Amino acid sequence: NCSYTYSGYDVEESQDATVLQLPVLLSPKVATGAGDIHFFLGPDIVFVLGDIEATMKFDDGSSLSAEITPDNALLFAATGGIGYSNSLGSIGTIGAEVRYTRVLSKLQDNFDSYMNGVEMYVTYGLPVAEW
């Protein structure tokens, strides 16, 4: 989302896109008394799947919607985050993660438009038999 003034109108713009992310993350962990704290950092390859839906709302109450085909559907990003996991004994582990992704490549060749996002996960790990 962003806000700006155009031709004397205050404009609120939002863009929605469906993407497929392929992160390659380092994930060191720090053991605590109750569980593990995980840190995430690394590059991310982002594929834009389809068009981007843009909606502009003007201060006079009118709005405009459009579908934008990105010039670049293959983007490169950086991702960082933090998570926590706790062992449930023989039934597995449960955890939560928060990650922030900042796309470093332009969506449109002639416009400085970048994507970023916050992702939240709840995780469950199945126990693995020891060899």
Side-chain angles (χ1 to χ4, degrees):
N1 291 345
C2 65
S3 300
Y4 55 91
T5 300
Y6 179 77
S7 295
Y9 291 99
D10 291 330
V11 181
E12 288 252 347
E13 182 175 344
S14 64
Q15 296 182 357
D16 293 316
T18 301
V19 299
L20 173 65
Q21 290 183 251
L22 299 173
V24 180
L25 303 176
L26 293 175
S27 181
K29 67 180 178 179
V30 177
T32 65
D36 296 327
I37 297 174
H38 304 265
F39 298 93
F40 304 98
L41 183 64
D44 199 343
I45 299 171
V46 179
F47 298 95
V48 180
L49 306 175
D51 290 342
I52 299 165
E53 297 177 20
T55 303
M56 292 158 273
K57 294 181 182 177
F58 301 92
D59 60 357
D60 67 357
S62 63
S63 64
L64 176 67
S65 295
E67 290 188 1
I68 303 166
T69 301
D71 293 332
N72 304 307
L74 173 62
L75 306 170
F76 298 96
T79 296
I82 190 168
Y84 178 80
S85 63
N86 190 20
S87 175
L88 300 174
S90 63
I91 61 173
T93 60
I94 190 165
E97 300 175 8
V98 177
R99 297 181 190 174
Y100 173 75
T101 300
R102 170 74 166 127
V103 175
L104 307 171
S105 308
K106 287 184 180 182
L107 279 168
Q108 301 296 120
D109 290 333
N110 60 351
F111 187 66
D112 287 338
S113 178
Y114 298 92
M115 298 172 63
N116 56 47
V118 175
E119 302 143 3
M120 294 178 273
Y121 301 93
V122 174
T123 62
Y124 175 75
L126 295 172
V128 178
E130 293 185 27
W131 299 93

